[in-house]
Amino acid sequence: RYYFERYLSQWRMMEQILWVSGFHGGRHVIDFGCFVGGWSWVLSRMYEAVTALDVDDTALALGKRFAQHHGFSNLEMKTIAPDVLAALPPADGILCVGTFQVMPAADLYAFFSMVRRTLVPGGLLLCNSARMFLPLEWLLTCERVKVHGWREQLVWARAVLRALRSRRIQATGSYY
């Protein structure tokens, strides 16, 4: 119950972050490391289809029940496995919030491999991490950038800075 209340209380802020980041209006998006699916529920209002992935079957089961109860019919929640990752359809966007810091390096490389394979040209990858060396891991893992150059990778950082400057996000606020 705590997770549902937390996500529902943050719904508007999450929607604003996604909107400012340009994360809306596509056909298919992947929420990698979705847990119970809080971000997935918001994405389901912005995209035609959402694939939510996690390793925690208990959290996924709770999220599926919540999604079914609230009519999120365009949301599919799956357990992360090699065959599931290999079968993912092309995605206009991939979201990964709060997941990198708990992933072993081998899983990070599998994630970025999935991103290279799945993200359509011009698609948006939106991630956050507490891992200091993630940019280095990204550089070492990517063979090429599938979006339109490195400048587009800074969309998220620019959006957050704009939101901080306009006071839409309070730097001292606790959002989790």
Side-chain angles (χ1 to χ4, degrees), residues 32-87:
F32 189 89
C34 69
F35 193 54
V36 295
W39 286 90
S40 305
W41 308 327
V42 178
L43 289 166
S44 71
R45 293 178 46 179
M46 302 174 144
Y47 282 82
E48 292 175 24
V50 178
T51 303
L53 304 169
D54 204 279
V55 295
D56 188 334
D57 290 327
T58 304
L60 284 171
L62 288 170
K64 284 178 188 178
R65 283 194 302 207
F66 182 87
Q68 288 168 349
H69 179 74
H70 291 283
F72 296 113
S73 58
N74 62 337
L75 172 58
E76 185 177 19
M77 301 182 86
K78 298 180 176 184
T79 303
I80 296 173
D83 60 321
V84 170
L85 294 179

Side-chain angles (χ1 to χ4, degrees), residues 18 23 29-33 39 43 93-97 124-126:
L18 293 169
F23 229 75
V29 65
I30 297 168
D31 182 2
F32 189 89
W39 286 90
L43 289 166
I94 299 173
L95 178 74
C96 186
V97 175
L124 183 60
L125 173 62
L126 184 57

Side-chain angles (χ1 to χ4, degrees), residues 121-136:
L124 183 60
L125 173 62
L126 184 57
C127 304
N128 77 342
S129 176
R131 288 176 67 139
M132 181 172 54
F133 295 110
L134 183 65
L136 178 60

Side-chain angles (χ1 to χ4, degrees), residues 22 72 136 140 142 153 159 170:
F72 296 113
L136 178 60
L140 293 174
C142 271
Q153 299 300 314
Q170 300 296 320

